[in-house]
Amino acid sequence: MTTIAPAAGRRLRLVVLGGTSGIAEATARLYAAEGAEILLVGRQEDRLAAIATDLKVRGAARAETAVADLAAPTDAAAALAGFAATLGGIDHILVAYGILGDQAKATRDPAAAERIITVNFNSAAAWCLAAANLLEAQGHGSLVVLGSVAGDRGRRQNFVYGAAKAGLAALVEGIAHRFAAKGPRAVLVKPGPTITPMTEGMVRKGFTWAKPEDVAAVVRRAADKGGPVVYAPWFWRYIMLIIRFLPAPIFNRLDI
C-alpha cells in the first residue's frame, strides 16, 4: 500500500521523535532535500538547533525544534497534537530514539533492565499508539519506527534490549494490520549494527556494519511504500532468517 501524497502544492510535513539520533539526522537530511517541513523533537536543545540550521541549508522549507523527554511521555496524544499545530499538520512520523544499555548490568540490576525496557518499548509504544490514532483520524500519513534485528531472536549478548525491540515489532506490525485498507501506513525498519553514537566503543568493522546514510535511505523509502517490516540493509532479512531457524543445540554454541 502506498501512502496518500500531500495535496498538490503542499510540502511534506515530518515529525522526528529522537531528532538527534544518527539515523534520524541522516533521514531528516533526505526530507530536507525534498523541501519538507520538519519538526525535530528530543532532549538536547542545542544539538536540535544545530541540526535544524543544517536542514534549512540543505533545503528544508522549515526546520523547527521541540524539547521533550520522549522516554517519559505524560500525554503523547496531546504532545503530537501540539507538534501538528506547529507544522499545520503531520504527514510522516519517525520514531527514532532509544538506548542500547548495558546487558551485563541489566542482568544484575533490575533498575537497569527496567530502564532499557521503558525507553525502548514502554515509551515508544505510547508514542506509536498516539501516532496511530492521529493518522487514522486524518485518513493518511506514515508512521515509521526504528526497531532492531536484535528483536528477532533472544541472544545472550543483548536479550534485554532485544526483548524490548521484539515487543515494539509486534506493536508496529499490529498497527500496520489495523491500518489495512484505511489509508495510513505503519512500518518497522530493522537496522543491523550501525555506526552511530549508540554503538561508540564497539569494534565497528566488517560488511555487516552500516552507515547512518544507508539506513536513512531505507527509512525514507519505507515511509512511502513497501511492507510493514523492512530490514536495513536488506541482507539482514536473510541473516536473521538463518539465525531464527537455527536449532537450539547449534544456536547455543554460538557466541552472539
Side-chain angles (χ1 to χ4, degrees):
M1 180 174 65
T2 300
T3 299
I4 299 173
R10 183 169 62 73
R11 297 182 184 277
L12 196 66
R13 297 161 299 186
L14 167 70
V15 171
V16 183
L17 303 180
T20 60
S21 86
I23 294 172
E25 182 179 1
T27 303
R29 288 177 175 178
L30 297 179
Y31 278 93
E34 299 172 20
E37 300 181 40
I38 303 168
L39 173 62
L40 305 171
V41 187
R43 291 184 302 171
Q44 303 174 49
E45 184 173 7
D46 291 346
R47 179 67 179 139
L48 289 170
I51 295 172
T53 297
D54 177 69
L55 294 177
K56 292 174 186 176
V57 172
R58 293 174 182 272
R62 290 175 66 188
E64 307 291 342
T65 65
V67 178
D69 184 359
L70 297 168
T74 54
D75 190 338
L80 281 175
F83 302 154
T86 297
L87 291 180
I90 299 176
D91 299 301
H92 293 179
I93 300 170
L94 172 60
V95 180
Y97 71 94
I99 60 170
L100 187 59
D102 184 328
Q103 170 69 31
K105 184 176 181 181
T107 59
R108 300 188 307 270
D109 181 358
E114 181 180 0
R115 175 65 176 166
I116 294 171
I117 294 169
T118 296
V119 173
N120 294 305
F121 177 72
N122 294 1
S123 66
W127 289 110
C128 288
L129 291 168
N133 290 338
L134 183 152
L135 297 178
E136 185 174 39
Q138 69 185 25
H140 69 89
S142 293
L143 168 64
V144 183
V145 181
L146 290 186
S148 172
V149 297
D152 280 15
R153 187 168 186 176
R155 295 176 289 121
R156 65 173 65 98
Q157 289 186 357
N158 65 356
F159 62 81
V160 177
Y161 173 79
K165 290 298 188 179
L168 187 61
L171 182 86
V172 177
E173 288 183 72
I175 292 172
H177 195 203
R178 166 186 168 184
F179 282 169
K182 290 186 177 180
R185 61 185 281 103
V187 186
L188 183 80
V189 176
K190 293 185 177 184
T194 307
I195 301 173
T196 66
M198 179 184 282
T199 58
E200 192 73 40
M202 295 183 179
V203 178
R204 303 188 293 191
K205 296 180 180 180
F207 79 95
T208 59
W209 282 88
K211 297 178 181 178
E213 294 77 12
D214 300 328
V215 178
V218 176
V219 171
R220 180 63 193 93
R221 288 195 300 271
D224 291 333
K225 59 184 179 180
V229 178
V230 180
Y231 287 77
W234 61 269
F235 55 76
W236 275 103
R237 176 180 298 276
Y238 302 101
I239 293 175
M240 297 313 299
L241 180 66
I242 294 169
I243 290 175
R244 284 200 305 274
F245 286 99
L246 280 175
I250 297 174
F251 180 73
N252 288 340
R253 292 201 296 268
L254 301 178
D255 187 21
I256 59 175

